[in-house]
Amino acid sequence: MGDRMVTRGHFFDFNIKYLFYVGLWPSNEAKRIEKIAYKIYEYQLHVLSLIFLVTTGIGTYKNHKDIIALLTNLDKTLVAYNFVFKVIVFVYKREELRKLIEQIVQSGDQITEDRKALMAKLVIVLTGISTVIITAFSCLALFEGEMTIDAWMPFDPMKSKMNLFAASQILAATFVVPCGYRAFAMLGIVCSLILYLRDQLVDLQNKIRDLRFATGNVEKLRDDFKLIVKKHVRLLGYSKVIEMIFKEYFFIQNMAVTAELCLNAMMVSVVGLEQKTLAASFLAFLSVALLNAYIYCYLGNELIVQSEGIAMAAYESSWILWPVDMQKDLLIVITAAQKPMKLSAGGMAVLSVQTYSQTLYNGYSIFAVLNDIVN
């Protein structure tokens, strides 16, 4: 029953389906043979992603004496390592996430149709942009008679155009769905959870401001306020569970963006803008990485702002007319709201716009130090 509720007709529906199609969300209601088939499909995608890491790792090592080829390969494989490690964390925490989504769906909280559409559009647009970028550079590499990324193959890719095309297809098969699409499926469900919390906090603020005291409606005021407090406590619990589930996920994301920025700065300084194709590929992959990081940090910042807004909404309500006992309860709400909900990267950094700026600064600082050492 629980699995039916979290896979049909709710505001996580699109994200759950996306996760299912990329082998990250097995159904608890499926028949035994279907579960076995899905498990085989899931493990197959795991194996394909590992094949990509191993083959590109060997290809990178073979070019360790060519600094440009080495940096180019590292730039592209770093994206895959980021995605694969996040998949490992996601699979490990998947059942905890399933239980959380069941609780949210059963809570009866409402969300607008526009927000549901936004959740789907976000994932579709990012998936489309990444697919276009990967396809464009793969076609360009084929046109120039080069590998998209240096990787070990059981045959010589440069022997003929057919071999080169086959090698490109193998790389695509081991990266696009096993790494890329899985990453965007995870991004979709994470962003949907944060947007859900953000919208429910805004709804709470509006309900608190709308509380009105009158001589004949004291009991109704108490009941409405009690529901608001219960919902706030529930949202606080959801926030802590989300932080616990995704703290390692966000830590990997934060570290990957810092390394990506540092690596790209090094590559641009070494390669130079005269090699336009390489420079364009560096900037394209960097742009996607920075966009992903900004989405997480922006939503994390919104969560902080809107959770702190509960305190302001409580203060702006007509509390001065309320009974004394309710005023004391409202003070407790204000005190609790002053400690905002947050998402952390491994408990080391809070996801916010400020953290995003700090990540960019850290990446450039590391590059500057390495550049000074090299020079």
Side-chain angles (χ1 to χ4, degrees):
M1 177 179 177
D3 195 60
R4 183 183 295 111
M5 294 187 66
V6 299
T7 56
R8 300 188 185 101
H10 60 86
F11 43 82
F12 296 117
D13 188 46
F14 177 83
N15 303 114
I16 295 298
K17 287 179 180 177
Y18 197 160
L19 287 168
F20 175 81
Y21 291 140
V22 296
L24 289 176
W25 201 266
S27 173
N28 289 337
E29 287 189 325
K31 297 178 181 178
R32 184 171 179 273
I33 188 65
E34 293 174 338
K35 288 183 178 180
I36 294 174
Y38 191 85
K39 186 65 69 175
I40 293 172
Y41 170 63
E42 180 181 356
Y43 285 165
Q44 180 184 10
L45 292 178
H46 291 332
V47 171
L48 288 174
S49 64
L50 293 177
I51 289 174
F52 181 86
L53 296 183
V54 171
T55 55
T56 54
I58 296 173
T60 301
Y61 177 76
K62 286 183 177 179
N63 293 313
H64 67 278
K65 294 182 179 180
D66 184 344
I67 186 63
I68 294 178
L70 176 64
L71 292 177
T72 303
N73 257 39
L74 285 176
D75 177 49
K76 296 172 182 176
T77 54
L78 180 61
V79 175
Y81 277 99
N82 175 24
F83 291 166
V84 170
F85 283 133
K86 287 197 290 191
V87 166
I88 293 172
V89 171
F90 184 88
V91 171
Y92 180 71
K93 298 290 187 74
R94 184 168 56 195
E95 290 308 311
E96 297 174 49
L97 178 61
R98 190 190 295 271
K99 292 177 183 177
L100 173 64
I101 292 177
E102 287 178 357
Q103 292 175 13
I104 292 175
V105 173
Q106 293 171 6
S107 70
D109 292 335
Q110 300 298 313
I111 193 167
T112 64
E113 292 298 324
D114 289 342
R115 182 61 75 194
K116 294 179 186 179
L118 177 62
M119 292 177 180
K121 288 177 182 177
L122 174 66
V123 181
I124 292 172
V125 168
L126 286 174
T127 303
I129 291 173
S130 300
T131 302
V132 168
I133 291 174
I134 293 171
T135 302
F137 284 108
S138 297
C139 292
L140 181 61
L142 284 173
F143 178 76
E144 295 182 349
E146 301 173 349
M147 290 278 287
T148 309
I149 179 172
D150 292 322
W152 174 85
M153 292 290 160
F155 53 86
D156 184 4
M158 299 303 167
K159 187 175 181 180
S160 65
K161 288 186 177 181
M162 186 60 68
N163 282 14
L164 183 60
F165 181 76
S168 299
Q169 293 304 303
I170 291 172
L171 288 174
T174 56
F175 177 81
V176 176
V177 175
C179 298
Y181 287 179
R182 281 180 148 195
F184 293 116
M186 292 185 294
L187 180 144
I189 193 65
V190 173
C191 291
S192 295
L193 285 166
I194 302 173
L195 282 171
Y196 156 78
L197 279 180
R198 185 261 181 200
D199 288 349
Q200 296 307 311
L201 288 168
V202 171
D203 179 61
L204 272 185
Q205 293 175 34
N206 294 332
K207 287 181 177 178
I208 292 174
R209 291 191 179 97
D210 290 342
L211 290 174
R212 294 290 182 267
F213 173 80
T215 305
N217 76 338
V218 177
E219 289 305 315
K220 183 177 184 307
L221 178 66
R222 290 183 185 277
D223 290 341
D224 291 343
F225 182 65
K226 185 182 296 183
L227 291 175
I228 288 172
V229 172
K230 285 183 177 180
K231 183 171 182 177
H232 187 220
V233 171
R234 179 162 53 82
L235 293 178
L236 286 170
Y238 291 163
S239 174
K240 291 179 179 178
V241 173
I242 291 173
E243 182 182 12
M244 180 190 68
I245 292 174
F246 291 107
K247 61 182 180 180
E248 296 89 357
Y249 178 97
F250 290 132
F251 176 75
I252 294 169
Q253 173 69 32
N254 199 42
M255 293 295 293
V257 171
T258 302
E260 183 81 14
L261 181 63
C262 173
L263 187 59
N264 273 266
M266 288 181 62
M267 287 188 294
V268 171
S269 65
V270 172
V271 173
L273 295 178
E274 64 276 2
Q275 293 178 279
K276 295 180 181 179
T277 302
L278 284 176
S281 68
F282 302 156
L283 295 176
F285 281 99
L286 178 61
S287 298
V288 173
L290 292 180
L291 178 60
N292 288 342
Y294 180 76
I295 290 171
Y296 288 128
C297 289
Y298 172 78
L299 292 177
N301 196 78
E302 275 292 295
L303 186 60
I304 293 172
V305 170
Q306 298 305 333
S307 61
E308 289 178 333
I310 296 293
M312 182 58 67
Y315 180 75
E316 292 174 349
S317 65
S318 58
W319 59 270
I320 194 170
L321 301 174
W322 294 8
V324 175
D325 62 319
M326 288 187 63
Q327 291 180 359
K328 292 179 179 178
D329 292 340
L330 187 67
L331 181 60
I332 295 174
V333 172
I334 293 174
T335 303
Q338 288 177 344
K339 185 178 180 182
M341 300 180 188
K342 59 182 175 58
L343 300 172
S344 68
M348 299 175 63
V350 176
L351 290 190
S352 65
V353 174
Q354 182 180 0
T355 301
Y356 182 76
S357 302
Q358 186 64 44
T359 300
L360 298 183
Y361 175 78
N362 291 341
Y364 179 77
S365 298
I366 295 171
F367 158 71
V369 171
L370 291 176
N371 192 49
D372 288 341
I373 292 174
V374 172
N375 292 334

